[in-house]
Amino acid sequence: MEFFTVSGLRSLKNDTDVRLSGWIQDVRVTKNLVFLIFRDYTGLAQLTVKRDGWAGIDVTSISRESAVSVQGKYLVKGMSKLGVEILLSGISVLNAAGTPLPLAISDPVISDVETRLDHRSLDLRKREVSRIFRAKSTLLWGIRKFLRENGFEEVQTPKIVAASTEGGADLFNVKYFEKEAYLSQSPQLYKEMLVSSGINRVFEVGPAFRAEKHNTVRHINEFTSIDIEMAFSDHEDAMRMLEGSVSGAIDEVMNEMGDELREIGLKIPSAKAPFPRITYREALDYLHKKGDAPPFGEDFTPEQLRSLGEKFDGFYFITKWPSALRPFYTMPDPEDPSVTNSFDLQFQEKEITSGAQRVHDPEMLLERFKSKGLDSKDFSFYLESFMYGMPPHAGWAIGLERLCMIILNLSNIREATLFPRDRNRLVP
RNA sequence: GCCCCGAUAGUGUAGCGGCCUAUCAUACGGGCCUGUCGAGCCCGUGACAUGGGUUCAAAUCCCGUUCGGGGCGCCA
């Protein structure tokens, strides 16, 4: 007898003997019949038990969410509204679930996000929740595929580091034997060093840690950063790779899960390259006309970004940011040194990526350290790679959870994170 | 870090000075009915975040703490 999944049953002939493993979601008892609602990772099926025809265990005593292995005959013309019905011939409870459940799984009540995160492994049994992570995995796969096709090599760099990337953001301290160390906030310095080493195009998918005490629906303290860096390239090249990555991710999700996402009424944003672009100065002008703009050199407020987001429905770039708003390694625009060869990818009011052409000239880099008030001595390991023929280069970093949240239209980044780490949450 | 709001059974909520030995739904336990399908009906178990204070009387008002929601700031 073969093992099947629920979704694999539909092509079978009537009365085929099947075995499945999964969970009992619900038990409904009638006079002569018991119906068990069975669930595996692929869907739901109704297991029908004839009371007098089968002397198995008392199925009415099985608690909801118990793990089971079942066998029976697949009924092509099942009467269940679930669409899949199996006439049960055997069941073994592999592990009974305790009662009551700490979380509503198939009940009409909707638990709070906090409650769900406290009991995340149970929460993930819900299809609408696990679907998020299938989509996230698929998005990432689409990006990996695109980057590989474009000559990028995947790398791993250390997450325990000695220096801050730019001395700005708060870092988590760790004890490193006798020394003081930090959790990496970004692989920025390392991916640039790799570019100098002749690995032409690199990307990394890894955790980034930020010790900022923010408490918003779009920030977490540990997130997945997808970083690229490419040699002999400028910000325009990097932006093309970003457009390709985002549309590659969306294409992959639509191919793999399009039907399912349409079924639940989710409209996935389209990502047709090239994305619209607006410079920082143009954005300022636009906002001036709207009556609320920041002075040159300051970042947009959420309100102002919302206003820009109304102008561009979907993905768009804000380019040429002022130097003051960008880290030391960002290349100034040779034609207008008050701004930089930099860009943010936005989706409406939400920022998902920032990137730029980087400084490759060591003299300029030293100047930039100075103007940002950083001590170049802290970065000597990094500076060395600029001394022996560092190629011009560019790159970006995209937050995977942010991207997932935006594409699936989630209201809280924690929903796109299996086990989020935020200001207060360290468990589970 | 700041401002506003909130925390009541396993889950989600109503109540907002004495009508509270606290409402309802759902879950859980028991019973009845029944090819059920958000099954139905009846019964039962089960809760006022925490520490102070005000008051004859506090779930309810005040202050602190913790946690949460919304906004802002901070933020590659």
Side-chain angles (χ1 to χ4, degrees):
Chain A
M1 206 185 299
E2 250 188 285
F3 274 97
F4 286 92
T5 59
V6 170
S7 66
L9 293 173
R10 288 170 198 272
S11 57
L12 297 179
K13 283 190 197 136
N14 195 236
D15 268 3
T16 309
D17 285 311
V18 295
R19 281 175 176 229
L20 301 100
S21 300
W23 290 267
I24 296 301
Q25 184 168 104
D26 204 2
V27 180
R28 293 197 194 105
V29 183
T30 70
K31 191 172 184 186
N32 300 309
L33 298 163
V34 178
F35 302 102
L36 303 175
I37 308 306
F38 171 90
R39 184 190 69 243
D40 67 14
Y41 194 59
T42 67
L44 295 174
Q46 176 173 284
L47 312 175
T48 302
V49 187
K50 291 191 174 171
R51 277 193 156 173
D52 47 357
W54 183 54
I57 64 164
D58 176 14
V59 294
T60 62
S61 69
I62 298 174
S63 55
R64 304 203 301 178
E65 296 305 322
S66 294
V68 294
S69 175
V70 303
Q71 49 193 282
K73 286 183 187 303
Y74 174 65
L75 304 179
V76 169
K77 287 185 184 164
M79 288 195 268
S80 169
K81 287 175 183 168
L82 284 175
V84 182
E85 183 168 0
I86 291 165
L87 192 58
L88 196 74
S89 59
I91 183 167
S92 60
V93 176
L94 305 173
N95 222 152
T99 57
L101 298 165
L103 181 68
I105 291 190
S106 56
D107 308 344
V109 295
I110 297 163
S111 303
D112 290 341
V113 174
E114 283 304 304
T115 309
R116 292 173 42 207
L117 292 175
D118 283 340
H119 310 281
R120 192 57 148 160
S121 49
L122 262 184
D123 182 49
L124 285 159
R125 290 200 183 167
K126 289 180 274 189
R127 190 161 181 77
E128 67 270 25
V129 178
S130 65
R131 176 162 48 220
I132 294 167
F133 296 96
R134 258 188 303 138
K136 188 179 178 184
S137 168
T138 310
L139 287 169
L140 180 55
W141 181 248
I143 292 174
R144 278 201 162 105
K145 212 158 92 178
F146 174 83
L147 291 174
R148 287 291 303 241
E149 281 163 6
N150 282 276
F152 283 83
E153 183 172 318
E154 184 162 3
V155 298
Q156 291 74 227
T157 64
K159 300 304 157 207
I160 303 176
V161 297
S164 138
T165 311
E166 48 244 39
D170 293 324
L171 295 167
F172 287 109
N173 265 252
V174 289
K175 264 209 136 47
Y176 194 71
F177 304 112
E178 301 77 23
K179 292 175 182 151
E180 179 99 329
Y182 305 95
L183 293 180
S184 167
Q185 59 178 163
S186 154
Q188 181 62 30
L189 306 186
Y190 289 99
K191 60 183 184 167
E192 289 191 71
M193 288 162 71
L194 289 170
V195 158
S196 88
S197 74
I199 306 180
N200 221 33
R201 295 180 164 196
V202 297
F203 79 100
E204 175 165 11
V205 180
F209 305 91
R210 304 281 164 90
E212 290 143 13
K213 293 180 179 177
H214 38 46
N215 203 328
T216 78
V217 290
R218 57 194 176 278
H219 288 98
I220 41 179
N221 295 290
E222 175 179 355
F223 66 93
T224 310
S225 183
I226 305 170
D227 268 84
I228 78 153
E229 205 66 31
M230 50 202 295
F232 304 106
S233 304
D234 65 12
H235 54 293
E236 292 290 339
D237 300 314
M239 284 161 82
R240 274 189 288 277
M241 287 303 123
L242 183 51
E243 286 167 335
S245 295
V246 170
S247 50
I250 289 178
D251 288 350
E252 192 71 19
V253 167
M254 290 315 285
N255 287 340
E256 296 280 320
M257 302 175 64
D259 291 342
E260 181 180 349
L261 295 176
R262 269 186 288 273
E263 247 171 60
I264 60 165
L266 189 68
K267 202 168 165 282
I268 300 294
S270 74
K272 284 271 183 295
F275 301 157
R277 289 153 200 231
I278 183 171
T279 67
Y280 175 84
R281 280 187 206 279
E282 288 164 355
L284 238 47
D285 287 345
Y286 174 79
L287 289 172
H288 251 304
K289 282 176 201 146
K290 290 253 159 185
D292 173 33
F296 181 87
E298 278 185 26
D299 208 345
F300 304 110
T301 65
E303 177 106 9
Q304 290 157 350
L305 285 175
R306 267 189 288 278
S307 173
L308 277 171
E310 282 163 23
K311 182 176 163 75
F312 299 100
D313 184 33
F315 294 100
Y316 68 101
F317 285 110
I318 302 175
T319 63
K320 301 281 175 186
W321 290 78
S323 306
L325 293 176
R326 290 284 153 159
F328 68 82
Y329 49 76
T330 312
M331 179 71 107
D333 181 353
E335 282 160 22
D336 177 4
S338 63
V339 297
T340 54
N341 282 346
S342 57
F343 55 88
D344 274 6
L345 179 66
Q346 301 279 134
F347 182 81
Q348 286 149 9
E349 78 279 8
K350 300 161 202 143
E351 177 193 334
I352 37 183
T353 311
S354 58
Q357 182 185 185
R358 323 296 191 189
V359 173
H360 56 274
D361 172 38
E363 293 302 317
M364 186 186 282
L365 200 56
L366 284 170
E367 260 171 52
R368 298 277 293 158
F369 275 129
K370 213 178 277 173
S371 71
K372 292 277 176 185
L374 297 170
D375 187 348
S376 59
K377 281 197 212 91
D378 294 340
F379 297 88
S380 50
F381 70 99
Y382 167 70
L383 267 167
E384 196 201 55
S385 62
F386 287 72
M387 308 305 284
Y388 308 103
M390 167 66 96
H393 59 286
W396 44 255
I398 187 166
L400 178 58
E401 287 79 14
R402 282 264 179 102
L403 181 68
C404 186
M405 174 185 177
I406 284 162
I407 288 175
L408 299 181
N409 195 222
L410 305 173
S411 53
N412 192 325
I413 195 165
R414 291 163 184 79
E415 295 206 59
T417 313
L418 284 169
F419 300 104
R421 291 290 172 263
D422 64 29
R423 180 71 182 86
N424 299 302
R425 181 176 291 278
L426 194 52
V427 173

